[in-house]
Amino acid sequence: MQKKEHILIIGAGLCGSLLALRLAQHGYQIDLVEKRPDLRKEDVSAGRSINLAFSDRGIKGINLVGLENKVKELCIPMYGRMLHDREGNTQLSKYSGRENEYINSISRGGLNALLLDEVEQFKNVKLHFKLSCQDVDLEKTKAVFKDENNNEIHFQANAIFGTDGAGSVVRKSMMQQRDFLFSFSQNFLTHGYKELSFPATAENNYAAEKGALHIWPRGENMLIALPNLDKTFTVTLFLAYEGGDYNFNNLTNPEIVKEYFEKEYPDALALMPNLEKEYFENPTAPLGTVRCSPWTYNNALIMGDAAHAIVPFYGQGMNASFEDVVEFDQYLVDSNFNLAEAFQQFSKNRKKDADGIADLALDNFHEMKSHTAKEIFLEKRKLEIAFETEFPKEYASKYSLVTFREDVSYAEALRKGRAQDHAILRLLKNNHLKQEASLQEQLLQVQQETHIILEEQELL
Amino acid sequence: MQKKEHILIIGAGLCGSLLALRLAQHGYQIDLVEKRPDLRKEDVSAGRSINLAFSDRGIKGINLVGLENKVKELCIPMYGRMLHDREGNTQLSKYSGRENEYINSISRGGLNALLLDEVEQFKNVKLHFKLSCQDVDLEKTKAVFKDENNNEIHFQANAIFGTDGAGSVVRKSMMQQRDFLFSFSQNFLTHGYKELSFPATAENNYAAEKGALHIWPRGENMLIALPNLDKTFTVTLFLAYEGGDYNFNNLTNPEIVKEYFEKEYPDALALMPNLEKEYFENPTAPLGTVRCSPWTYNNALIMGDAAHAIVPFYGQGMNASFEDVVEFDQYLVDSNFNLAEAFQQFSKNRKKDADGIADLALDNFHEMKSHTAKEIFLEKRKLEIAFETEFPKEYASKYSLVTFREDVSYAEALRKGRAQDHAILRLLKNNHLKQEASLQEQLLQVQQETHIILEEQELL
């Protein structure tokens, strides 16, 4: 089923590579263009987002292109949050009460390289690296790039996909289009992040428990760590740019950095022999949310971070982008490979889910850095895990709805998950949860309270 | 108390003119630069926003510069919403149960001209028209303009104010600033608007009741009308760009425009002899919300629509801008005329109120075009007017909090007003309001329910 249309995909990161692979499988003629060098030949990570959380929505995308077995080899399962207090005490808070529900730590570079290797098998795909998009002519479906030597290269296509990330040039071209009402927002948190690491131990083992996502919640700021296949951990510091006793603006010399880590993260500091070097060599990066609408103009469509960049706190950035590809593919098939129709349907229907996960990711920032350490939150999680263990088919927490229930849309996970959280917190705070009652009765109370809250929301 | 600093104000609309007047009164050296011609000499309205709603927060700004008596002559009081159904039946829904609480229809041009006349009295202000700002150098506090003949004109100042409206060039300069995390959003409604009119009658009288804001709510779309001093009304059609039986994209010839008005607004149509001409000559304009943060960089500050453009449905656009000037003035005085300190304080503290009125204005779009015609809404308004009449000091509706309580911040009006609406609708819907009870007891019920709702919000 060879398709005649010529497709230009701008951006060969995770989303663009998966999209190219799927469209190649359909038989389209594809140019996949990336501004950075080929990451299989040069290190392009630059100290940012070395590993990622990979879960059920992302797995859907990998299943779609038939790579589940190959990807599995890249995955390290994480079964819960390992919480670290200032004294170095740890406590595991499971992600789910159900068996087989866990998230995975995966290398961004490793996964991207695998996808590019697969894409390269297809004769109907041409891969181009080190071509930086300068401008997209949306009326004529043309794009102009510059190569390393500053030469202009032009591409003309039947359709253009912008999978060029949070700073998307394709999106900027849409925004500059006159007489086109393009809604757009970019919002930055008051916090930035910096990547650090735990090396492997002298015995070449993991320096900390491998099967968990480690968190050091400290109210306004936090440290997290995810395992890598090479037995290191990638550690990320989320810290305010200003305010408080310590912040990115005042951690300007090795002494004060060490002082801060000694005070807040002593057990982590003990595992970080390279802290000083990494802290001052790695960049401090901002945390932003990008939203826009519509995602299509004429024969162009933006997807993934280009359409909806989110903060990383739900570990859903890549998963959302992969789900984009799955949903777009469904619209494409349903329209009998009418690209224009699929562009419209995708732009119209997927937006509410992109907004949903953007909001959820912002919610989770507050939850991770602060709530995870609070008594009422731990009580809530304990109850939810008990519900999920005893009644696996009857209860799914907000975290489970977002992370493990790929059949539930992000928008619905947000709506229902927030109402459940509201219900449990209200019941706990008012001591309305009958302590003497059975777990089943308590579940019924939570379900009833959730129903009341959802009904009230309808009213307004 | 002559101030030595030289201030450049970009934009001599309502906000820039009031600001210039206030800063002139303080003795600063001011250049006030406007890209359009002097509206006192040429008509620059171009069929857009000919009149505005002017209420207590705006009056605060006018009082600050001592112009209350002169402005009063420009005002036409409107005491409530006159609702028109399809059969031409009308019903007045009062804005408040208290005496002396009403809003005013005022001419944008008339008010702006008055402010410019006052500004011109000051020797320390230079007024410049037809100079279009091209770029602002925020590091050097310089701006470059082009005149009618395309000549470049440069201004250098100690501080720059951007009061250059929703499309602010000063804001764009902030957004382009590297290494500055500037959050920004522009969001468009699916509706646009077009201005039309009712001329005066043959006997030179108002064609409709003068003392009300007229609304023809039709679910998804609506028509409104505000009186002018010359006995005309400015009429505004708010209509979706697409969808439904009639929209801006399909109202493309006089017959279908007439058909639409005959069907939806027959009593208004009877007062519109110039409908065809106006409909096709006046522009269709979009409705957008602009938010951003922070509002200051180095020695520059944006204010008014440049910092927070909102949709017009609460009639608060100008009032919010005038309140900006009042609040900024307070920070300036409190800081003993330290501009840098006042910029920081204003940017930090005023933002939540700008977000509040932006959200309130979006709420009111739905309320005006749809809810005003619903039974439960009319019942709610009746109850609120009764509370305000009988217990004027104990109850203020959301509308009153926003419009008449200039001592309550927009953020607080949003928080309390929404909770009250929620409480009354919940009580009415569930028939929990004791019908046999006295009005005082019903007020107590509403207050208690509001308190519960606010407490629940705190929890999350």
Side-chain angles (χ1 to χ4, degrees), chain A residues 175 180-189 191 241 286-287 371 376 418 421-422 425-426 429 455-457 459-460, chain B residues 175 180-189 191 241 286-287 371 376 418 421-422 425-426 429 455-457 459-460:
Chain A
M175 193 155 169
F180 173 55
L181 297 183
F182 188 71
S183 292
F184 167 78
S185 75
Q186 63 181 36
N187 285 290
F188 294 98
L189 294 183
H191 290 61
Y241 283 103
L287 294 159
H371 298 178
I376 192 168
R418 275 190 181 169
D421 282 357
H422 188 159
L425 289 170
R426 182 149 78 177
K429 181 169 179 271
E455 270 204 336
E456 277 177 21
Q457 286 172 359
L459 190 68
L460 291 175
Chain B
M175 192 155 168
F180 174 53
L181 297 183
F182 188 69
S183 293
F184 168 76
S185 75
Q186 62 181 36
N187 284 289
F188 294 98
L189 293 185
H191 289 61
Y241 282 104
L287 293 158
H371 298 179
I376 193 169
R418 277 190 179 169
D421 282 358
H422 188 159
L425 288 170
R426 181 149 80 177
K429 181 169 178 272
E455 269 204 336
E456 279 177 19
Q457 286 173 0
L459 191 66
L460 292 174

Side-chain angles (χ1 to χ4, degrees), chain B residues 183-406:
Chain B
S183 293
F184 168 76
S185 75
Q186 62 181 36
N187 284 289
F188 294 98
L189 293 185
T190 52
H191 289 61
Y193 73 94
K194 189 185 281 286
E195 291 201 347
L196 308 164
S197 77
F198 299 161
T201 63
E203 301 78 29
N204 197 30
N205 278 327
Y206 286 94
E209 164 59 40
K210 170 194 178 188
L213 188 153
H214 296 259
I215 311 184
W216 290 256
R218 294 297 180 263
E220 271 313 293
N221 306 303
M222 69 172 169
L223 195 73
I224 70 166
L226 281 78
N228 297 312
L229 285 177
D230 64 3
K231 304 199 173 163
T232 65
F233 280 83
T234 300
V235 178
T236 310
L237 173 64
F238 295 96
L239 181 65
Y241 282 104
E242 52 189 46
D245 290 339
Y246 301 90
N247 56 54
F248 273 126
N249 288 344
N250 72 21
L251 291 189
T252 51
N253 64 61
E255 290 71 35
I256 190 167
V257 170
K258 204 174 162 210
E259 179 186 306
Y260 174 56
F261 274 75
E262 271 170 353
K263 191 172 167 194
E264 295 288 2
Y265 317 112
D267 59 333
L269 178 62
L271 309 175
M272 302 174 84
N274 307 319
L275 173 61
E276 179 181 331
K277 181 172 162 18
E278 289 174 343
Y279 188 93
F280 291 101
E281 286 186 1
N282 287 347
T284 303
L287 293 158
T289 302
V290 172
R291 304 177 201 240
C292 62
S293 170
W295 294 341
T296 183
Y297 180 83
N298 208 11
N299 297 311
L301 177 74
I302 49 176
M303 286 175 80
D305 284 0
H308 49 75
I310 62 178
V311 293
F313 305 107
Y314 232 112
Q316 285 291 318
M318 167 192 32
N319 294 290
S321 293
F322 280 14
E323 197 177 57
D324 277 4
V325 176
V326 174
E327 299 221 346
F328 176 77
D329 189 66
Q330 191 61 52
Y331 291 120
L332 190 61
V333 171
D334 288 348
S335 70
N336 198 22
F337 298 95
N338 179 330
L339 283 165
E341 167 75 13
F343 281 14
Q344 290 296 332
Q345 289 295 328
F346 179 75
S347 176
K348 191 175 122 196
N349 296 311
R350 180 66 173 157
K351 166 70 175 159
K352 63 182 184 314
D353 293 318
D355 283 338
I357 189 58
D359 289 337
L360 285 159
L362 289 165
D363 282 2
N364 225 35
F365 180 40
H366 304 289
E367 179 162 327
M368 287 176 81
K369 69 187 167 61
S370 166
H371 298 179
T372 48
K374 281 185 195 155
E375 196 49 50
I376 193 169
F377 177 84
L378 290 169
E379 212 180 328
K380 170 176 158 292
R381 281 304 291 165
K382 210 172 123 188
L383 191 66
E384 292 192 285
I385 295 296
F387 288 160
E388 293 192 333
T389 307
E390 294 297 316
F391 311 103
K393 292 190 175 157
E394 288 170 54
Y395 190 82
S397 69
K398 183 170 84 169
Y399 189 88
S400 290
L401 288 168
V402 172
T403 310
F404 305 121
R405 288 289 301 273
E406 83 283 353

Side-chain angles (χ1 to χ4, degrees), chain A residues 21-210:
Chain A
L21 180 54
R22 184 59 184 160
L23 294 178
Q25 291 174 339
H26 285 311
Y28 287 101
Q29 299 299 313
I30 297 164
D31 280 295
L32 175 59
V33 187
E34 168 59 39
K35 78 174 169 193
R36 285 168 301 184
D38 187 342
L39 55 76
R40 296 166 300 178
K41 296 170 187 161
E42 298 178 37
D43 178 18
V44 299
S45 68
R48 285 171 65 171
S49 296
I50 291 167
N51 57 19
L52 300 163
F54 179 60
S55 54
D56 293 40
R57 293 174 202 269
I59 293 169
K60 256 194 310 192
I62 291 302
N63 291 349
L64 181 71
V65 294
L67 287 180
E68 47 274 35
N69 292 330
K70 289 186 182 169
V71 169
K72 203 156 197 178
E73 292 170 21
L74 303 176
C75 288
I76 304 173
M78 299 183 289
Y79 297 91
R81 295 167 174 162
M82 184 71 81
L83 304 173
H84 296 245
D85 72 13
R86 282 189 184 79
E87 285 70 45
N89 303 311
T90 60
Q91 183 175 3
L92 184 70
S93 171
K94 286 170 69 181
Y95 280 129
S96 168
R98 276 172 291 272
E99 298 288 327
N100 299 322
E101 284 190 349
Y102 53 84
I103 63 175
N104 301 281
S105 177
I106 195 167
S107 148
R108 173 193 287 273
L111 181 58
N112 207 340
L114 170 64
L115 291 169
L116 289 173
D117 284 345
E118 295 294 318
V119 165
E120 251 178 1
Q121 312 287 319
F122 285 82
K123 284 188 184 154
N124 47 330
V125 184
K126 279 187 213 140
L127 258 164
H128 312 263
F129 291 99
K130 300 187 191 174
L131 290 187
S132 163
C133 186
Q134 304 299 304
D135 190 39
V136 179
D137 184 335
L138 296 165
E139 296 295 346
K140 297 183 178 154
T141 322
K142 279 165 54 174
V144 55
F145 297 80
K146 279 205 173 160
D147 70 10
E148 286 171 287
N149 305 316
N150 233 14
N151 297 315
E152 282 201 354
I153 320 275
H154 294 258
F155 284 85
Q156 167 94 52
N158 298 110
I160 295 178
F161 288 81
T163 49
D164 49 344
S168 174
V169 174
V170 185
R171 187 185 68 229
K172 282 175 190 159
S173 301
M174 288 183 178
M175 193 155 169
Q176 279 156 17
Q177 196 70 15
R178 286 183 169 268
D179 300 325
F180 173 55
L181 297 183
F182 188 71
S183 292
F184 167 78
S185 75
Q186 63 181 36
N187 285 290
F188 294 98
L189 294 183
T190 51
H191 290 61
Y193 73 95
K194 188 186 283 286
E195 291 200 346
L196 307 163
S197 76
F198 297 163
T201 63
E203 300 79 29
N204 198 30
N205 279 326
Y206 285 95
E209 163 61 41
K210 170 196 179 187

